[in-house]
């Protein structure tokens, strides 16, 4: 693709903060040292062409790879993603089919040396994938009705079951023939719903369900005057950033469907900083998107959400009085409501980074948005939202380890959540217990958020950037932090090379230990720090 030069102009964004959010802000690490040499096990920055070549090679070799890792005759691999380390090691992510049917929980990552020698395989499910028959006893109509009933129980309005598809369910227990039904509709707060219901094809028993629309709430803590990537259009200027994959921002004008209208301007000076100017929300949405792009590119070497150099889409002014924001894979887009009374657009840096990071997770580890894997999915967005906000170095919103400290959701000036001790919000988990998988993903995420804080900063009382923290551990042990920069890199490597759709907290510990070993060595202070931080949240 021929590069385009984006026009940049100082732009006014809103400078007030209000409403609800589930986003995590970053903290400034104390005692920061000089940036170390990039480890050989760190991800290499791949051009779109280089990545496409690796995917093409993997696709050409997928039959041989399936044989090499011991898959059965009816099992085939479908290439999904590839990561290449600086030392030449490749981590190729695959989906799996059985007798032509998708295997849910069949995803895996094949790790190979620069010479092509197999180093290992990370599987979502370790058992052999095999079923007695692929002929279903149940009819699709009864399966669809059952799925709509499941949606009714979670109060999904306008529930409409799409045609069920036959699959193999292998994510838990013995693999069985099943149906996957997607029920569309509207959640209680006005968020679109795309509920996936898995039904046993022989008995009709519901095996699993998860919500595919991944959302969190927040409001704009806007950033003063900012520079935006825009371009000259046929008549005036367009809020399209060709330097970041062509990311474009659209105005839904309070509709809840469609693509909206591309935001344009006559003189390339956007917004007034006031919510009654429709451009203001678009400014902050575009700014948040470009900060998120820049973070993944500069810190992790990833070009865009999918790693393919293509930008996503932002849509502002969704619905009326909608106090939420969400990422939707089906449109590869980020959508923002205007908040209570349509006066508090949810277009802050945190919201953009959090929600768009759900897209990164979907393209990589793809942890199911339910149970412990859902908590890890949500925490991943919190962790990278922290990284984006800190990396932005915006003077109007200095990083910290508090959640929603600017929005006053509780009406008393207190933060929505606390990363150093998640339970201070009254609902989030500080540490793992056997019941963690039954807790709402926004609260079970506290385990990983707490781990990340401990890994970054360590336990105990300290003041960072003017905020006082006091982080405990489950066993009373003292944890020494390794610094947020290294903690981010370890989490990203684990997400992209070792996490799968079924990763739980125990597997996350294993994955992050492998990532730390790849980056810094098995006996490194960083690997020991990972182990200590997980023990500090009772994940052993």
């Amino acid at each position: 693709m021929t590069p385009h030069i984006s026009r940049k102009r100082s732009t006014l964004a809103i400078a007030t903060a209000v409403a609800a959010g589930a986003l995590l802000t970053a903290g400034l690490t104390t005692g920061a040292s000089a940036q170390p040499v990039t480890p050989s096990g760190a991800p290499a920055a791949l051009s779109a062409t280089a990545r496409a070549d690796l995917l093409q090679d993997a696709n050409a070799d997928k039959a041989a790879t399936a044989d090499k890792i011991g898959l059965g005759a009816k099992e085939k691999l479908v290439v999904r993603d590839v990561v290449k380390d600086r030392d030449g090691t490749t981590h190729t992510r695959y989906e799996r089919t059985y007798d032509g049917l998708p295997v849910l929980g069949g995803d895996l990552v094949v790790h190979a040396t620069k010479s092509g020698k197999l180093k290992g395989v990370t599987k979502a499910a370790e058992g052999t994938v095999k079923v007695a028959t692929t002929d279903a006893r149940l009819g699709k109509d009864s399966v669809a009705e059952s799925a709509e009933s499941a949606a009714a129980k979670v109060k999904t309005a306008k529930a409409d079951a799409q045609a069920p598809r036959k699959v193999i369910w292998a994510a838990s227990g013995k693999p069985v023939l099943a149906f996957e039904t997607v029920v569309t509709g509207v959640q209680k707060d006005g968020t679109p719903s795309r509920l996936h219901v898995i039904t046993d094809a022989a008995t009709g028993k519901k095996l699993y369900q998860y919500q595919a629309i991944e959302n969190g709430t927040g409001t704009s803590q806007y950033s003063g005057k900012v520079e935006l990537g825009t371009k000259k259009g046929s008549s005036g200027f367009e809020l399209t950033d060709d330097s970041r994959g062509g990311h474009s921002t659209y105005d839904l004008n309070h509709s809840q469907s469609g693509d909206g209208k591309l935001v344009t301007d006559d003189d390339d000076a956007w917004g007034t900083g006031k919510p009654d100017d429709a451009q203001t929300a678009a400014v902050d949405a575009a700014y948040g998107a470009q900060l998120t792009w820049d973070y993944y590119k500069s810190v992790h070497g990833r070009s865009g959400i999918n790693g393919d150099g293509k930008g996503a889409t932002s849509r502002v002014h969704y619905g009326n009085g909608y106090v939420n924001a969400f990422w939707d894979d089906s449109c590869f887009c980020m959508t923002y409501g205007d908040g209570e009374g349509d006066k508090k657009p949810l277009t802050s840096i945190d919201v953009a980074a959090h929600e768009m990071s759900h897209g990164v997770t979907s393209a990589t580890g793809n942890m199911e948005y339910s149970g412990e894997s859902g908590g890890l999915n949500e925490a991943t967005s919190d962790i990278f939202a922290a990284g984006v906000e800190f990396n932005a170095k915006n003077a109007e919103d200095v990083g910290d380890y508090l959640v929603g400290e600017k929005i006053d959701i509780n009406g008393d000036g207190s933060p929505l959540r606390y990363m150093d001790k998640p339970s201070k919000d009254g609902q989030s988990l500080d540490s793992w217990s056997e019941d963690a998988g039954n807790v709402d993903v926004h609260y079970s995420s506290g385990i990983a958020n707490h781990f990340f804080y401990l890994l970054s900063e360590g336990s105990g009382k300290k003041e960072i950037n003017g905020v006082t923290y006091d982080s405990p551990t489950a066993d009373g042990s003292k944890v020494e932090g390794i610094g947020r920069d290294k903690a981010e890199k370890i989490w990203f490597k684990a997400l992209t090379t070792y996490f799968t759709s079924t990763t739980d907290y125990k597997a996350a510990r294993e994955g992050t230990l492998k990532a730390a070993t790849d980056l810094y060595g098995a006996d490194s202070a960083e690997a020991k720090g990972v182990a200590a931080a997980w023990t500090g949240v009772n994940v052993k």
Side-chain angles (χ1 to χ4, degrees):
M1 178 183 295
T2 303
H4 298 275
I5 299 176
S6 295
R7 297 177 59 89
K8 291 188 176 180
R9 184 70 60 86
S10 292
T11 309
L12 193 64
I14 297 179
T16 57
V18 255
L23 284 302
L24 216 98
T25 55
L28 296 176
T29 315
T30 57
S33 58
Q35 184 69 23
V37 175
T38 304
S40 62
L46 297 175
S47 67
T49 300
R51 180 177 180 274
D53 288 344
L54 286 173
L55 290 172
Q56 185 176 9
D57 290 344
N59 195 57
D61 294 338
K62 62 185 180 182
T65 301
D67 184 62
K68 186 185 296 185
I69 64 176
L71 298 189
K74 291 187 176 182
E75 296 177 85
K76 297 186 185 304
L77 294 174
V78 179
V79 181
R80 186 161 155 244
D81 192 24
V82 63
V83 174
K84 185 176 182 178
D85 294 343
R86 289 165 60 88
D87 64 5
T89 301
T90 57
H91 310 270
T92 308
R93 189 175 295 275
Y94 300 89
E95 299 290 348
R96 200 181 335 178
T97 63
Y98 176 87
D99 205 12
L101 299 178
V103 179
L104 305 186
D107 53 301
L108 53 89
V109 185
V110 175
H111 314 284
T113 64
K114 183 178 181 179
S115 64
K117 182 180 179 180
L118 181 67
K119 288 183 66 176
V121 182
T122 302
K123 295 181 179 179
E126 291 294 336
T128 301
V129 176
K130 186 177 181 180
V131 296
T133 179
T134 55
D135 293 328
R137 294 180 187 175
L138 297 179
K140 290 187 176 182
D141 288 345
S142 64
V143 171
E145 289 176 6
S146 176
E148 287 186 350
S149 296
K153 291 180 181 178
V154 292
K155 296 180 169 45
T156 301
K158 302 179 182 178
D160 181 20
Q162 308 301 299
R165 70 166 182 166
K166 203 160 33 171
V167 299
I168 304 297
W169 174 250
S172 60
K174 182 180 178 181
V176 296
L177 183 69
F179 282 104
E180 179 187 35
T181 310
V182 180
V183 185
T184 61
V186 181
Q187 297 179 52
K188 288 182 289 185
D189 66 351
T191 304
S193 178
R194 190 167 288 108
L195 187 70
H196 289 239
V197 182
I198 314 300
T199 307
D200 190 307
T203 67
K205 178 183 177 182
K206 187 182 75 174
L207 300 172
Y208 192 75
Q209 71 181 46
Y210 71 93
Q211 177 58 253
I213 300 294
E214 299 166 346
N215 68 343
T217 58
T219 194
S220 298
Q221 175 53 51
Y222 297 94
S223 310
K225 286 189 175 181
V226 298
E227 287 191 340
L228 293 177
T230 65
K231 71 184 239 182
K232 186 75 168 67
S234 56
S235 57
F237 297 88
E238 301 173 356
L239 202 48
T240 295
D241 190 348
D242 282 339
S243 69
R244 297 177 177 87
H247 181 279
S248 295
T249 304
Y250 291 81
D251 185 350
L252 285 169
N253 193 26
H254 305 292
S255 172
Q256 290 182 296
S257 61
D259 297 327
K261 184 178 180 181
L262 181 64
V263 179
T264 60
D265 186 75
D266 293 334
D267 60 4
D268 208 19
W270 307 76
T272 63
K274 304 293 183 182
D276 57 0
D277 183 331
Q279 281 191 1
T280 298
V283 166
D284 285 278
Y287 180 58
Q290 74 182 39
L291 291 177
T292 303
W293 175 286
D294 290 350
Y295 168 78
Y296 281 108
K297 181 77 171 177
S298 63
V299 176
H300 301 298
R302 186 174 186 85
S303 183
I305 287 174
N306 270 345
D308 57 4
K310 296 179 181 178
T313 298
S314 292
R315 304 185 303 175
V316 296
H317 304 306
Y318 172 87
N320 291 289
Y322 178 64
V323 190
N324 217 329
F326 59 90
W327 171 264
D328 187 350
D329 273 330
S330 68
C331 62
F332 201 60
C333 66
M334 179 63 221
T335 303
Y336 302 89
D338 285 329
E340 187 176 350
D342 289 331
K343 296 183 182 301
K344 306 164 185 176
L346 282 80
T347 48
S348 69
I349 295 171
D350 289 8
V351 175
H354 176 105
E355 301 303 342
M356 296 178 85
S357 290
H358 276 307
V360 175
T361 295
S362 179
T364 55
N366 197 30
M367 295 85 77
E368 295 288 8
Y369 205 60
S370 181
E372 290 191 23
S373 61
L376 286 162
N377 187 316
E378 188 64 23
T380 296
S381 283
D382 288 349
I383 287 166
F384 291 135
V388 171
E389 187 176 80
F390 178 73
N391 193 62
K393 295 181 174 64
N394 187 289
E396 299 293 324
D397 189 5
V398 179
D400 53 49
Y401 287 102
L402 304 175
V403 184
E405 78 283 358
K406 304 282 188 182
I407 63 178
D408 195 23
I409 185 66
N410 299 317
D412 59 5
S414 65
L416 181 63
R417 293 194 293 182
Y418 305 79
M419 203 170 195
D420 63 321
K421 188 178 180 182
S423 64
K424 285 197 289 186
D425 68 11
Q427 300 184 86
S428 292
L429 303 182
D430 285 340
S431 57
W432 183 87
S433 70
E434 291 186 357
D435 194 47
N438 299 320
V439 176
D440 182 279
V441 299
H442 292 87
Y443 305 130
S444 64
S445 64
I447 302 166
N449 288 341
H450 191 193
F451 159 80
F452 180 75
Y453 176 88
L454 288 172
L455 182 61
S456 299
E457 299 291 351
S459 59
K461 192 170 184 178
K462 61 194 65 183
E463 182 176 308
I464 304 167
N465 202 31
V467 179
T468 300
Y469 302 94
D470 193 358
S471 191
T473 57
D475 60 355
S477 61
K478 182 179 180 180
V479 175
E480 296 289 344
I482 66 170
R484 190 192 54 258
D485 291 344
K486 289 180 178 178
E488 289 173 19
K489 289 179 172 62
I490 289 170
W491 194 267
F492 182 80
K493 185 166 183 63
L495 172 70
T496 55
T497 61
Y498 294 114
F499 288 2
T500 69
S501 61
T502 62
T503 296
D504 58 12
Y505 274 106
K506 181 179 179 180
R509 177 187 171 107
E510 295 172 359
T512 49
L513 280 170
K514 289 178 180 177
T517 297
D518 289 348
L519 291 170
Y520 305 109
D523 295 323
S524 64
E526 291 82 2
K528 292 175 183 176
V530 168
W534 278 125
T535 299
V537 296
N538 198 35
V539 179
K540 303 175 182 177

